[in-house]
Amino acid sequence: MISAEKIPNNVGLSSNKRLQRALEHWQPQYIQWWKDMGPQGFQDYHQVYVRTAVSVDPSGWAHFEYVKLPEYRWGIFLADPVHDRRIGFGDFFGQPVWQEVPGEFRNQLRRLIVTQGDTEPASVEQQRWLGQRCPSMYDLRNLFQVNVEEGRHLWAMVYLLHSYFGRDGRDEAEELLARQSGNRDKPRILDAFNEPIENWLDFFMFTMFTDRDGKSQLLSLSESSLDPLSRTTRFMLTEEAHHMFVGETGIARIVERSCQLLEQSSFSEDIRKLGGIDIPTIQKFINLWFSLSLDLHGNEISTNAASYFANGLKGRAQEEKWDDHLVTEKHYELDVAAAGRLERKAIPMRTAMNEVLRDWYVGDCEAGVQRWNKIFERHGMSDRLRLPDRKFNRGIGMFSSLHFDPQGVWLSDEQWEQRKHDWLPAPADREYLLSIMATPVYEPGKFANYIAPPIRGINRMPINFEYVRTEA
Ligand SMILES: [Fe+2]
Ligand SMILES: [Fe+2]
């Protein structure tokens, strides 16, 4: 059960006074950050119908109530320990997992935790203006649910830093509140988390593709030999699922609405004239956020990835499904750009671990896009959405200095410059989206014209439930 302390937790915080004091010292800084950088305009007079964890078992972690955002009970929740858990991969395969951080892996583990931790507040910062442009009260609530949980994920990583990394960990925890998304002098660590999320198409694509990268990373970290990291990330995964639900269903509802608008106009009109979002624009935002999120898996060939795997720090998604957990002999085949053309090369599998994780990620994204395409099928339309080729618009890895179209055809720099706005959002697309989102929809049960209502409400509440209410 989670205690009713100042910092809700299931880690016995009150029996570790030093840690408790350190975290209670960090807490007001966190709240200040949340007020400054969290949802703008919804801090003081609004109550939001959100779920809060009251225990980690299935009946307790999704407890719903109205909460004022700065009073959300952010806390520290670890999944229950697995009895006699053993290291599942790498050079220490089969040995008992670690309850403390081994000195030789301290820097690597700290880096992994800080990098994960940095993404959580970054996304809250990126999304802080969206409440002013929301398509409905239902969506507004979902935005805030995602935001408070990203805040809680930051707490999860800060708990690990404070507990296992001493002075360095405390410094890193402060830095996590000091960096700022998009800030020129102190940006967030990873590029996708410095990109602006200014409209709801960005937001839904971000929660679809970038939060899915989060899922991929959390699955890898939940395999870690460092047991507290594994237990922390395992519980985070239960929350992450809702974020991807928000993204996938958000886009599905936009696609649904676009199909309806096309039908109403007997396919004769430009959807934009009807205030909807046209399918080519949806495709451009897929291209953008999918390619940005692919970068988050790192270089195709990486000695860091090999050493994370060898040392048992970061595994593959669902490691138990693989039959070889040592991976010392196998090779991975990938396309390498050399002398103006692509060449198939076999590289040692451990150094290709980023690519192995990316494969899992691409498959998971692909399944989601296929679910969107079912909507067109249902409407008897031939339009389809698709993922761009992996080499398209990359900022990290061996294709980052080259240009490819969404089908993977190599382009010259001039060709790319001429055509990039056919494939990526152009300033005019963004202006159009802002124009249809300029007036937020706050009336319960009402939806902006460009998006269909959801099939059902949250926690079996009706769709026209007052998910966000204003205090009298
Ligand atoms: Fe998160
Ligand atoms: Fe998330």
Side-chain angles (χ1 to χ4, degrees):
M1 226 15 221
I2 284 160
S3 62
E5 295 158 56
K6 214 164 158 191
I7 301 171
N9 70 91
N10 71 344
V11 294
L13 194 56
S14 58
S15 61
N16 185 342
K17 290 292 172 211
R18 249 176 73 134
L19 178 62
Q20 187 178 35
R21 261 199 307 278
L23 286 169
E24 283 181 3
H25 178 73
W26 186 80
Q27 191 176 32
Q29 300 173 45
Y30 170 82
I31 297 293
Q32 194 55 49
W33 165 82
W34 172 267
K35 288 185 175 168
D36 294 342
M37 298 305 292
Q40 298 295 299
F42 294 91
Q43 301 275 348
D44 300 323
Y45 307 108
H46 293 81
Q47 296 198 352
V48 187
Y49 186 71
V50 287
R51 68 176 185 193
T52 313
V54 291
S55 76
V56 293
D57 51 73
S59 64
W61 78 272
H63 169 80
F64 284 83
E65 61 187 343
Y66 278 105
V67 176
K68 258 173 97 161
L69 289 178
E71 290 164 15
Y72 183 80
R73 288 172 58 72
W74 285 287
I76 300 157
F77 314 125
L78 270 56
D80 289 332
V82 172
H83 176 69
D84 192 32
R85 185 170 166 250
R86 302 274 158 165
I87 295 173
F89 60 95
D91 295 344
F92 308 110
F93 178 74
Q95 297 180 15
V97 290
W98 315 321
Q99 299 305 328
E100 292 293 332
V101 175
E104 63 269 45
F105 304 134
R106 194 181 160 89
N107 286 343
Q108 281 189 324
L109 279 164
R110 192 181 68 202
R111 196 75 225 139
L112 281 172
I113 292 168
V114 166
T115 307
Q116 178 64 42
D118 194 65
T119 66
E120 316 287 359
S123 65
V124 175
E125 294 167 354
Q126 284 168 294
Q127 296 162 16
R128 69 186 186 276
W129 292 105
L130 289 174
Q132 318 270 350
R133 298 169 190 150
C134 70
S136 75
M137 191 174 261
Y138 165 90
D139 291 290
L140 186 64
R141 176 259 166 224
N142 284 351
L143 167 70
F144 296 153
Q145 181 72 61
V146 170
N147 291 161
V148 291
E149 285 175 351
E150 301 304 8
R152 206 205 64 72
H153 292 175
L154 172 61
W155 270 93
M157 294 298 112
V158 163
Y159 160 73
L160 293 174
L161 289 169
H162 272 265
S163 304
Y164 300 98
F165 296 89
R167 178 77 223 228
D168 298 347
R170 290 196 293 280
D171 290 346
E172 295 281 15
E174 309 232 326
E175 284 299 301
L176 284 168
L177 296 177
R179 282 185 292 271
Q180 256 176 34
S181 178
N183 186 302
R184 244 199 316 179
D185 303 320
K186 261 185 169 273
R188 291 295 174 181
I189 296 169
L190 301 168
D191 283 345
F193 294 89
N194 288 305
E195 290 286 320
I197 299 181
E198 55 180 17
N199 67 64
W200 282 73
L201 194 51
D202 279 322
F203 173 65
F204 290 135
M205 291 299 179
F206 181 93
T207 38
M208 172 74 181
F209 292 114
T210 312
D211 280 273
R212 194 173 305 274
D213 163 76
K215 174 184 171 188
S216 172
Q217 303 299 338
L218 293 176
L219 281 170
S220 294
L221 294 174
S222 68
E223 299 293 337
S224 182
S225 309
L226 180 61
D227 202 42
L229 175 59
S230 163
R231 291 175 56 200
T232 306
T233 45
R234 249 189 296 141
F235 186 67
M236 289 162 76
L237 277 165
T238 58
E239 292 166 322
E240 204 58 48
H242 178 67
H243 308 180
M244 287 173 295
F245 162 85
V246 168
E248 187 177 326
T249 57
I251 297 298
R253 288 161 51 214
I254 289 177
V255 170
E256 172 64 32
R257 183 64 185 147
S258 297
C259 291
Q260 291 172 3
L261 288 171
L262 273 172
E263 280 165 352
Q264 278 170 26
S265 73
S266 313
F267 300 94
S268 60
E269 284 237 43
D270 173 359
I271 305 187
R272 286 196 186 185
K273 286 198 188 128
L274 304 169
I277 302 179
D278 50 294
I279 291 140
T281 298
I282 299 174
Q283 181 64 56
K284 286 182 184 181
F285 278 79
I286 293 178
N287 293 349
L288 175 66
W289 286 104
F290 177 70
S291 56
L292 283 170
S293 305
L294 280 179
D295 281 342
L296 296 172
H297 288 85
N299 285 305
E300 289 84 1
I301 304 173
S302 163
T303 48
N304 271 341
S307 116
Y308 289 156
F309 186 86
N311 298 335
L313 310 184
K314 189 179 171 188
R316 292 166 293 188
Q318 295 147 334
E319 185 64 44
E320 77 281 358
K321 290 197 180 157
W322 298 79
D323 36 54
D324 174 9
H325 300 293
L326 304 183
V327 199
T328 44
E329 315 279 302
K330 294 208 171 65
H331 285 74
Y332 186 97
E333 292 213 354
L334 85 176
D335 285 337
V336 175
R341 55 189 205 88
L342 296 175
E343 229 171 72
R344 205 89 182 140
K345 264 201 165 162
I347 61 162
M349 185 75 89
R350 280 187 177 189
T351 59
M353 272 308 159
N354 286 341
E355 207 55 20
V356 173
L357 299 186
R358 199 160 12 234
D359 286 337
W360 177 90
Y361 172 75
V362 172
D364 213 44
C365 290
E366 182 63 41
V369 172
Q370 290 319 323
R371 289 190 289 273
W372 291 337
N373 283 335
K374 291 266 186 308
I375 303 169
F376 295 115
E377 278 176 39
R378 247 194 349 261
H379 284 269
M381 291 168 53
S382 60
D383 301 73
R384 294 293 180 268
L385 296 167
R386 45 186 64 85
L387 295 176
D389 186 89
R390 284 187 199 209
K391 300 186 284 301
F392 172 79
N393 191 42
R394 294 295 302 280
I396 300 259
M398 58 188 171
F399 303 115
S400 60
S401 56
L402 307 168
H403 295 301
F404 296 87
D405 76 5
Q407 278 74 46
V409 176
W410 201 322
L411 304 174
S412 69
D413 291 2
E414 299 84 73
Q415 286 170 318
W416 170 256
E417 280 306 317
Q418 269 168 21
R419 298 212 54 198
K420 66 179 178 194
H421 286 312
D422 294 349
W423 303 312
L424 292 169
D429 299 321
R430 294 195 165 277
E431 272 164 41
Y432 173 69
L433 292 173
L434 284 178
S435 77
I436 58 171
M437 297 177 193
T439 313
V441 180
Y442 294 138
E443 203 182 316
K446 284 262 156 56
F447 288 82
N449 181 48
Y450 63 84
I451 190 165
I455 293 164
R456 59 185 74 83
I458 291 295
N459 194 32
R460 275 169 283 177
M461 291 299 167
I463 291 171
N464 63 3
F465 183 68
E466 193 173 15
Y467 289 103
V468 180
R469 63 187 186 199
T470 317
E471 285 184 346

